[in-house]
Amino acid sequence: MKYQEFVLRKLSLTGAIVLILWVCWYNLGGMTIRLWDESRMAINALEMYESRHYWVTTFEHQPDLWNTKPPLMIWLQVLSLHIFGVHDWALRIPAALAATATFTAIFHFCYRRLNNFWLGIFSVVVLATSVGYVREHITRTGDFDPLLILWLVLASLNFFIFLEHNRTRSLYATFIFFGLAVCTKGVAGLIFAPGVLLYTIYRRQLKRLLTNPHTYIGLLLFLAIALPYYFIREHYNPGYLMAVRENELGGRFLKAKEGHNHPWYWYLNLVATELYVEWWPVFFLGLVFLWIERRSDTLMNKGVIYAAILAISYFTIMSAAQTKLVWYVAPVFPFAAIVVAYTICFIGRKVYLESAKIWRIGQPVLPVFILFVVVHNIYNELYLADRHNNLSDINYYIRDKFMAEKDKRNMFVLAPGYQPHVWWYTRVAAKQGQKIVHDSSVKIKAGDRVLVSKGEYMDTVTSRYEVDTLYHTNFIGVFDIKCKKQL
């Protein structure tokens, strides 16, 4: 290896490491706890942390039969709370660790198993700038999905190593990681299995797999990891298995839940307009290049074909599901990143090695394009994504004003509906001796301090009472109640 290339590789690897750490760890506690899954999991983890009852997840101190996922991620969050204390960022440390490990696994696979350093570097860069992966609910928040994606990536990559290198321990690792994926998010941990099977058939290795006794030992190992929690939970919480069957085993796939019904092309539109704007054309170009090099039998081409099959098969399955949510498509992006990185390497080889005139237009354009995507997407997701909105403004006030200033005066929160992201902060405030009452039915009186969400409650407060306005935005108001107005 020439000295110049050695230096370039070291600089590129250093840059990739900085990028990974930046994406996964920068300002981890900056955003308040998000509504929906993260906040519900936060309540699950806090109640488990306080009660030290680890088999049954609870919500408002009752068995949680809405969130029926096995609690591997919640256990890790509870461990983090025990180590670091009750903080927003402590809830997100397991997610950040899982995302960091995912980047590392992708790079190691491309470099060490596919024997292409630059494929690994560009895969990391592409994944780090994939909005569908580097966003809240995935890399940036304490949800199930980053840990699920880690296990799916490790399981899938180990299966490729087994097929191409005949390593039995990699086959066992495949079953172990699929078992951990089920322990993280139930049946969602198996959705890559059809893609794995398709690649096995494509490589004409199905007979070898089915006649290998280690396959069946591995299957037993998978069952030993994936199933016990379900029966333990049913023992302590009768009715749990019925709730799992309703929520996971056909429920969300066969019928739309909670109004999340969208047409089959919804994910395609989302990828093209929001989640993968810069990279989806490059992905499809990569499929064209794979076809051009279809006669190539290199390990890299096999690995990229495998990644493409996994990405396309998973995307197809999720598009057929009736319940569609933005984060359901997130496991596609690590494998799509490998295909996009292959495209970049293919163009780079043509430009810099073969010096074909038809490719020379890419010489100045490609590096500038990649740099633009890196800066643009990371700036948007790490800096602008923290902007306040009507769902989070209450949280920012409670955390960054009321709690940060150690305000000892009681405050009433008048905000209707399901708001576990607010309940998390009311409980954390109570731990530090501050009292926040979140009850929309409370009868306010002179001397009370109230935090009101925009809408009927704000109109009621300001029209019926004389108030001192302490804080006001487009979404919330904080008032000291002086007296009732004379009507």
Side-chain angles (χ1 to χ4, degrees):
M1 183 188 301
K2 293 180 180 180
Y3 177 73
Q4 291 88 341
E5 184 177 355
F6 173 80
V7 172
L8 182 59
R9 285 192 174 203
K10 290 299 182 183
L11 289 174
S12 299
L13 182 58
T14 302
I17 292 171
V18 170
L19 185 59
I20 291 170
L21 295 177
W22 189 18
V23 164
C24 297
W25 295 93
Y26 168 77
N27 200 24
L28 198 59
M31 282 193 301
T32 55
I33 297 299
R34 303 287 94 175
L35 180 59
W36 311 122
D37 289 8
E38 185 185 33
S39 55
R40 193 176 187 98
M41 290 174 65
I43 300 296
N44 293 153
L46 183 62
E47 292 185 358
M48 188 178 287
Y49 165 80
E50 293 172 337
S51 70
R52 298 179 185 267
H53 295 154
Y54 299 114
W55 289 115
V56 179
T57 54
T58 61
F59 186 77
E60 296 188 300
H61 305 289
Q62 297 296 320
D64 192 351
L65 295 179
W66 183 84
N67 175 15
T68 55
K69 306 294 188 295
L72 179 56
M73 185 59 160
I74 293 170
W75 286 340
L76 294 176
Q77 290 178 320
V78 171
L79 177 61
S80 183
L81 293 179
H82 278 297
I83 295 172
F84 302 107
V86 181
H87 306 286
D88 295 359
W89 52 267
L91 283 171
R92 291 169 177 161
I93 282 178
L97 288 170
T100 303
T102 300
F103 280 108
T104 304
I106 291 292
F107 174 78
H108 182 270
F109 174 74
C110 293
Y111 181 30
R112 295 299 185 186
R113 300 304 172 193
L114 302 185
N115 301 319
N116 195 306
F117 173 84
W118 294 109
L119 184 70
I121 291 292
F122 287 126
S123 293
V124 165
V125 172
V126 171
L127 184 57
T129 55
S130 300
V131 174
Y133 181 72
V134 183
R135 61 174 297 154
E136 61 180 78
H137 213 300
I138 313 296
T139 306
R140 301 292 300 166
T141 50
D143 291 275
F144 294 110
D145 301 84
L147 189 62
L148 170 69
I149 292 170
L150 171 64
W151 302 138
L152 292 175
V153 165
L154 291 175
S156 302
L157 299 186
N158 271 280
F159 186 78
F160 178 86
I161 295 169
F162 160 71
L163 281 188
E164 302 300 337
H165 296 277
N166 198 29
R167 284 178 48 178
T168 300
R169 64 184 179 183
S170 294
L171 179 61
Y172 285 125
T174 298
F175 285 110
I176 290 171
F177 289 128
F178 272 131
L180 291 172
V182 171
C183 289
T184 301
K185 206 173 180 183
V187 71
L190 298 175
I191 298 184
F192 269 107
V196 168
L197 180 61
L198 277 175
Y199 182 77
T200 305
I201 295 170
Y202 167 77
R203 294 286 292 135
R204 300 179 181 178
Q205 296 290 318
L206 185 60
K207 181 178 179 181
R208 172 190 157 203
L209 180 67
L210 294 178
T211 57
N212 188 335
H214 295 290
T215 299
Y216 301 98
I217 299 173
L219 184 59
L220 291 175
L221 182 61
F222 162 79
L223 295 174
I225 294 171
L227 292 185
Y229 174 78
Y230 287 94
F231 296 106
I232 295 171
R233 172 75 181 265
E234 177 68 20
H235 171 75
Y236 287 107
N237 180 199
Y240 172 70
L241 290 179
M242 184 175 295
V244 170
R245 184 179 64 181
E246 173 62 23
N247 288 340
E248 298 184 38
L249 300 180
R252 288 182 177 269
F253 188 87
L254 297 178
K255 58 184 178 181
K257 293 279 188 175
E258 298 149 7
H260 297 296
N261 53 322
H262 302 283
W264 66 267
Y265 54 84
W266 187 69
Y267 284 128
L268 284 172
N269 181 66
L270 201 63
V271 163
T273 60
E274 180 180 348
L275 303 183
Y276 218 50
V277 175
E278 296 86 358
W279 294 127
W280 72 264
V282 188
F283 175 85
F284 284 105
L285 187 60
L287 299 182
V288 174
F289 291 159
L290 282 174
W291 175 256
I292 292 172
E293 294 197 328
R294 63 188 180 279
R295 299 185 188 281
S296 173
D297 198 37
T298 64
L299 200 57
M300 185 182 78
N301 275 53
K302 292 176 184 176
V304 177
I305 290 171
Y306 180 59
I309 289 174
L310 290 180
I312 293 171
S313 61
Y314 179 86
F315 194 89
T316 302
I317 291 169
M318 297 315 298
S319 295
Q322 295 302 302
T323 303
K324 294 181 175 67
L325 289 162
V326 174
W327 50 89
Y328 282 5
V329 78
V332 162
F333 297 112
F335 299 100
I338 296 175
V339 179
V340 173
Y342 164 80
T343 310
I344 295 170
C345 290
F346 184 94
I347 294 173
R349 187 171 71 245
K350 294 292 184 180
V351 172
Y352 295 105
L353 298 183
E354 299 181 10
S355 298
K357 291 182 180 180
I358 193 173
W359 296 104
R360 283 200 175 277
I361 190 174
Q363 188 165 353
V365 171
L366 190 60
V368 173
F369 174 73
I370 293 173
L371 181 62
F372 169 78
V373 174
V374 169
V375 174
H376 177 265
N377 286 3
I378 290 182
Y379 176 74
N380 283 340
E381 292 306 311
L382 270 62
Y383 294 95
L384 297 186
D386 196 24
R387 55 189 176 271
H388 297 196
N389 56 60
N390 60 331
L391 293 178
S392 65
D393 228 16
I394 290 177
N395 293 353
Y396 281 105
Y397 179 82
I398 294 174
R399 186 190 70 178
D400 298 340
K401 297 286 289 182
F402 185 80
M403 292 174 62
E405 295 172 3
K406 306 294 183 183
D407 194 329
K408 295 300 182 181
R409 185 172 178 178
N410 296 346
M411 183 170 66
F412 296 96
V413 177
L414 307 183
Y418 172 79
Q419 297 199 29
H421 59 315
V422 178
W423 304 338
W424 160 262
Y425 289 105
T426 63
R427 295 193 183 188
V428 175
K431 284 183 170 294
Q432 64 182 42
Q434 296 173 280
K435 185 176 180 181
I436 306 173
V437 179
H438 185 198
D439 184 357
S440 297
S441 65
V442 69
K443 294 182 179 180
I444 59 177
K445 60 186 183 301
D448 287 343
R449 175 169 294 176
V450 296
L451 190 163
V452 191
S453 62
K454 185 177 181 180
E456 59 177 302
Y457 286 100
M458 187 173 292
D459 294 339
T460 298
V461 168
T462 55
S463 64
R464 294 185 181 181
Y465 298 91
E466 296 286 349
V467 299
D468 284 334
T469 302
L470 305 179
Y471 184 83
H472 192 275
T473 71
N474 290 331
F475 306 114
I476 66 168
V478 182
F479 307 104
D480 277 346
I481 305 299
K482 297 171 64 177
C483 63
K484 198 166 185 178
K485 288 183 177 179
Q486 298 296 324
L487 301 178

